[in-house]
Structures are given as C-alpha cells and as structure tokens.
Amino acid sequence: QSAPHLFCIHDFSGDIMPYTNLARHLPDSLSLTGIRYHYEKGAQVSIPSLAAQYIELLRTASPNGPYHLLGYSIGGTIAFEMARQLAADQQAVHFLGIVDTPNYTVHSNIMQHFVRTSVKHVLAWLRTMSLTYKLVFVTHNLKTLLANQGSLFSLLRAQAQMKRALTAYRPQSYNGRLTLFVAKQRLFQLDDALGWRDLVTTIDRQEVVGNHISVLNETNAKQMARHLMAALSAEQNHGK
C-alpha cells in the first residue's frame, strides 16, 4: 500500500512554517502539501468557505482521494470542516488529525487567553537572555518590523479575518474518526477532548510533548513525527 498524501493546513499566522520542523522528521515516502491562507482585503471569510476553497486545491493535487488532513491551531478547525464537506460529498477521508486545536464554541474565551498567554511566554523567554542578547534580539526584530510594515499589517488584518471566521463558526457533527494530538503542558484549562467529543464518532487522543506554542518546535518535532506516523499507520490498517 502506497504512503498517503498528507495535506497540512496553516495556523493563525496564515503560513505553513510550523510544519517545517515536523517535515524534517517524516519519511521521504510521505507526500506533504501545505495550504497557506490567502488574504484578500474586504473578503467575507468563513470557516466553511475556506474549507471549500482548500478542498478545491487538494482535489486538484489528488482528484480521487482518499484524503489525509492535518491542521494545527485554526488549521485544525478548518481541517475538521474539510473532512465534513468531503464526507458529505461521498469522498473518503482516511485521516483527520488536529494538533492541539480546541473546539472554540465550547471554549469560547480561549482566543483572548491565548493572546495574553503567548505574550507572557515571550516575556518570560526574554528574561532568560543576557542583556546583550536582548538588545540584539529586540533591535533585529524592530528593524525587521520597520522594514516589513506592509507585510505586518497584512498579517494583522488576515488574523482579524480568521478570528472573525472562527468566532462565527458553529461546527456540525462529523461521522468519522478524529486523531487529536494534545499538548501535555496545558496553557488553559480544557477538557481532555478539547471540546470535540460530542462532534465525532471516535477520538484517538495522543498526548504530545510541549505546549500549544512549542508542540511543533525544533525540540519537540521529532517526537510529534513519531506520533503522527504511528497514527497514519493505524489508520491505514484500520481502512484495510
């Protein structure tokens, strides 16, 4: 049986950079395709409309499936909706994996907490640096921000679009299996299934090292890759 083609959906940055560390530890036989967010000024964006757009992209790359989806952060929510739409269209979804993505309708205050906690983590990291390194880090990043103001403002506007779409989304049930990768270090108090239990047929819960910010970083990506390959292998055996 050939290795699956895994489609990876962007996070809140709109980019697929978080998957680069993961990709280094995955076998060459596993085909990977990343889907980025495309910001359009004034566009009315919703999670179902994004899912439909991304399904067009993946069906261009792989017209007949079966499909294997992975999403991190907001990408997990979009991947969930993609799986729903594909199943409704009688298309086989052999793997739906989401990386530490809560169901935001159950945990509605999570986005505000996430922003505050992310800032705290950056400040705590800065406190561990020497004064010289802090000055280099801050100066370098300030220069980068000043040189890329247009890109920065586009990113902020794109994130605002995604946040509005996520806030308005009300997920419906998915008659399928969800592989849920849950970070061991919790930044927030959430239930074990992160709010997804009542929406899917089966949940395969995999606990992975790190927190929501660090789960795919260079240190933790190797272990995450092992969990992912084991889950994909289990799904292939389950589908036989």
Side-chain angles (χ1 to χ4, degrees):
Q1 191 171 4
S2 61
H5 188 162
L6 184 64
F7 292 88
C8 302
I9 315 302
H10 62 80
D11 69 352
F12 253 119
S13 72
D15 210 311
I16 53 174
M17 286 298 291
Y19 295 106
T20 55
N21 291 318
L22 183 66
R24 293 189 188 102
H25 300 286
L26 295 173
D28 292 340
S29 59
L30 180 66
S31 299
L32 290 176
T33 297
I35 299 180
R36 292 184 171 93
Y37 183 78
H38 177 63
Y39 170 69
E40 289 185 32
K41 186 176 179 180
Q44 296 299 310
V45 175
S46 69
I47 298 298
S49 68
L50 286 174
Q53 289 174 34
Y54 297 170
I55 285 172
E56 287 186 20
L57 294 175
L58 71 87
R59 293 188 75 171
T60 299
S62 181
N64 301 313
Y67 296 105
H68 301 77
L69 308 172
L70 182 68
Y72 167 51
S73 193
I74 189 177
T77 304
I78 300 169
F80 176 84
E81 177 60 24
M82 290 171 70
R84 286 192 68 257
Q85 292 185 21
L86 284 164
D89 198 29
Q90 306 300 311
Q91 297 296 311
V93 179
H94 279 196
F95 180 77
L96 169 61
I98 63 178
V99 183
D100 209 50
T101 302
N103 174 3
Y104 290 93
T105 56
V106 174
H107 301 288
S108 58
N109 61 345
I110 198 75
M111 279 183 280
Q112 288 75 16
H113 287 311
F114 177 72
V115 172
R116 287 198 295 270
T117 305
S118 299
V119 171
K120 287 179 183 176
H121 274 261
V122 171
L123 292 175
W125 178 56
L126 280 170
R127 281 197 294 272
T128 66
M129 298 180 183
S130 68
L131 179 60
T132 302
Y133 193 85
K134 281 180 189 175
L135 290 172
V136 171
F137 173 81
V138 173
T139 302
H140 170 76
N141 281 278
L142 182 60
K143 286 178 179 176
T144 302
L145 290 176
L146 290 173
N148 296 282
Q149 285 186 52
S151 298
L152 174 64
F153 292 138
S154 291
L155 170 61
L156 293 174
R157 286 190 287 265
Q159 288 180 330
Q161 276 185 346
M162 287 186 274
K163 183 177 177 181
R164 285 193 296 271
L166 197 54
T167 303
Y169 180 57
R170 298 293 179 267
Q172 303 300 306
S173 60
Y174 167 59
N175 185 26
R177 183 183 183 89
L178 168 64
T179 300
L180 181 63
F181 300 100
V182 180
K184 284 183 180 179
Q185 296 172 252
R186 300 309 312 156
L187 299 181
F188 320 101
Q189 292 300 114
L190 306 173
D191 67 276
D192 283 351
L194 307 189
W196 295 106
R197 192 173 306 281
D198 294 337
L199 290 172
V200 296
T201 307
T202 309
I203 289 184
D204 175 21
R205 186 181 186 277
Q206 302 281 334
E207 202 168 74
V208 293
V209 293
N211 58 46
H212 186 81
I213 309 296
S214 66
V215 69
L216 291 179
N217 71 10
E218 190 173 356
T219 302
N220 298 326
K222 187 174 182 179
Q223 189 174 125
M224 177 65 202
R226 285 200 298 268
H227 281 284
L228 175 60
M229 290 308 300
L232 286 167
S233 177
E235 286 296 330
Q236 282 190 293
N237 292 331
H238 187 262
K240 286 181 180 179

